[in-house]
Amino acid sequence: MRSSKPGKKPQPSIPRGTLIGVFDPWRSSLCTCPLKYSLNPYTGCSHFCLYCYATSYIGLRKSTPKKDYRERLLRDINKIDPRYHIDISTSSDPYPPEEEQHRITRWTLEQLLPRGFRVLIVTKGALVARDADILSKGNAAVTMTITTMDRTLAAKLEPGAPSPRDRVKALEKLNEAGVPIGLRLDPVFPMLTDDEHSIREVLEAAAAAGVRFVVTSVYKARPDNLRRVLSAFPELEEEYNKIYRARGERISGYWYPELGLRIRILEKVRAIALRLGLEFATCREGLQHLNTAPSCDGSHLIPTRIAQKGYQRQLDAWLRS
Ligand code: SF4
């Protein structure tokens, strides 16, 4: 395996104990996200995706609301700068099945959106459509992850998540309500979901639901998620050992497939996306020249419906402290 040691991105310091933190892409040197916040109402994730990157940091456990969440969020709201948007969520899903009962993501939106904060929802939960009423009134956009339209394959890859068809229906409802929507075709698996037909099915379904932006990346392996993927798809073991371990390269703690393979897969997605009139971006690939979208994370989709007035710009001071 080749080893790559790209320069480290400067990391802002994050005050201890805050719920809304400055987004840290787990020290990925290839992340092109704008400076933004990250907020996870839940710890753990009941979607149990085989390829989840977060499990190597927080373990494999079902979604549980964070302790003292409401008090902590109300306290943090006074510390953040509305120039920067808030991703909900980056290391858990804000719409797991538990949200139906707890409603803490909805409560979060009820706090943030009327105050004019800019919010980007990142989810696989079809339940997000329940909140179309409030999302459509605020500075909010939704990106939905769909990796395949094959229901059986999706049930293996993402056993706790809604079916791809239900996710598309949620996108349709959000679009009808006027909520800007994007697609995360993320990740694409070599030899599993990287064929033209599979990619086209996802992009066409999303485009028909009103999506105008897609971001994508090729599966990057970490020891724990690779173990889970190979135990579900043992037939991939030999090829994945070649793709990831023998020919791949290690970047920021992940095994990446060799660059040529990644470019072939990403260009396939790009060609279909452009044919469908979608904006295109790549995630943590170091291949920004392929992007046609103004942001890689879909934050350019967030509309300004509620203006923030009289706000003290505190983030710079906060980051310096
Ligand atoms: S939805 Fe996201 S956070 Fe949840 S298990 Fe899947 S990849 Fe991990």
Side-chain angles (χ1 to χ4, degrees):
M1 179 193 307
R2 289 189 292 124
S3 176
S4 163
K5 287 188 184 163
K8 273 189 182 168
K9 251 187 173 183
Q11 293 297 316
S13 62
I14 300 173
R16 279 176 184 278
T18 51
L19 200 61
I20 306 180
V22 176
F23 173 65
D24 171 6
W26 295 314
R27 310 206 180 284
S28 169
S29 58
L30 299 186
C31 180
T32 50
C33 280
L35 184 59
K36 60 183 175 182
Y37 294 106
S38 163
L39 172 61
N40 293 276
Y42 292 90
T43 304
C45 187
S46 300
H47 289 159
F48 295 119
C49 305
L50 299 183
Y51 52 83
C52 183
Y53 301 128
T55 55
S56 61
Y57 303 93
I58 58 175
L60 195 62
R61 47 198 163 124
K62 67 185 177 75
S63 305
T64 312
K66 285 198 167 160
K67 194 165 180 290
D68 303 327
Y69 179 80
R70 288 177 167 81
E71 299 87 308
R72 291 166 67 198
L73 183 79
L74 292 175
R75 192 194 59 204
D76 282 4
I77 276 180
N78 298 317
K79 297 181 187 165
I80 60 172
D81 186 325
R83 285 178 299 174
Y84 303 99
H85 75 272
I86 306 168
D87 266 14
I88 309 175
S89 303
T90 53
S91 57
S92 60
D93 196 301
Y95 289 98
E98 290 82 352
E99 169 62 14
E100 188 133 29
Q101 178 204 338
H102 296 303
R103 298 174 74 89
I104 57 169
T105 297
R106 184 171 177 93
W107 178 85
T108 303
L109 297 175
E110 287 167 352
Q111 306 312 311
L112 295 175
L113 295 179
R115 289 172 163 92
F117 288 106
R118 301 168 63 238
V119 170
L120 181 65
I121 300 285
V122 184
T123 188
K124 289 188 185 88
L127 188 56
V128 62
R130 176 199 67 189
D131 295 344
D133 57 342
I134 183 163
L135 288 164
S136 63
K137 292 193 198 98
N139 305 335
V142 173
T143 53
M144 177 73 78
T145 303
I146 306 175
T147 54
T148 171
M149 290 306 294
D150 181 328
R151 191 188 176 103
T152 311
L153 184 53
K156 260 176 110 171
L157 285 168
E158 302 145 354
S163 72
R165 196 45 68 190
D166 284 350
R167 289 179 237 174
V168 170
K169 279 191 204 142
L171 284 172
E172 280 166 6
K173 284 188 192 148
L174 291 166
N175 185 49
E176 279 161 20
V179 181
I181 49 173
L183 168 72
R184 295 195 68 95
L185 174 54
D186 178 32
V188 179
F189 287 87
M191 311 184 63
L192 198 59
T193 59
D194 66 340
D195 59 288
E196 175 112 10
H197 173 74
S198 174
I199 294 167
R200 212 179 42 240
E201 266 196 330
V202 178
L203 264 57
E204 285 179 352
V211 160
R212 291 290 166 263
F213 161 78
V214 57
V215 57
T216 190
S217 78
V218 178
Y219 168 60
K220 300 148 184 59
R222 288 186 67 96
D224 73 323
N225 69 27
L226 183 60
R227 254 195 314 276
R228 292 194 298 266
V229 169
L230 293 182
S231 98
F233 301 95
E235 67 279 13
L236 291 176
E237 180 144 13
E238 200 181 325
E239 278 306 312
Y240 270 34
N241 277 336
K242 281 188 216 153
I243 290 172
Y244 287 93
R245 292 204 158 103
R247 298 190 208 122
E249 63 180 320
R250 193 158 173 119
I251 304 175
S252 304
Y254 293 80
W255 289 314
Y256 278 62
E258 61 180 308
L259 185 60
L261 175 60
R262 281 160 47 215
I263 289 178
R264 280 199 296 284
I265 293 173
L266 296 169
E267 283 190 334
K268 212 186 295 181
V269 181
R270 186 177 192 271
I272 298 168
L274 297 190
R275 229 179 289 144
L276 291 168
L278 306 183
E279 295 175 321
F280 176 83
T282 54
C283 174
R284 295 184 204 188
E285 294 285 357
L287 297 167
Q288 296 90 298
H289 64 281
L290 295 178
N291 297 3
T292 63
S295 76
C296 60
D297 60 354
S299 51
H300 64 284
L301 301 173
I302 302 172
T304 303
R305 291 181 163 131
I306 301 176
Q308 270 268 348
K309 287 187 189 141
Y311 190 86
Q312 290 183 319
R313 294 184 170 179
Q314 297 180 37
L315 182 68
D316 297 333
W318 191 37
L319 294 179
R320 278 198 304 273
S321 65

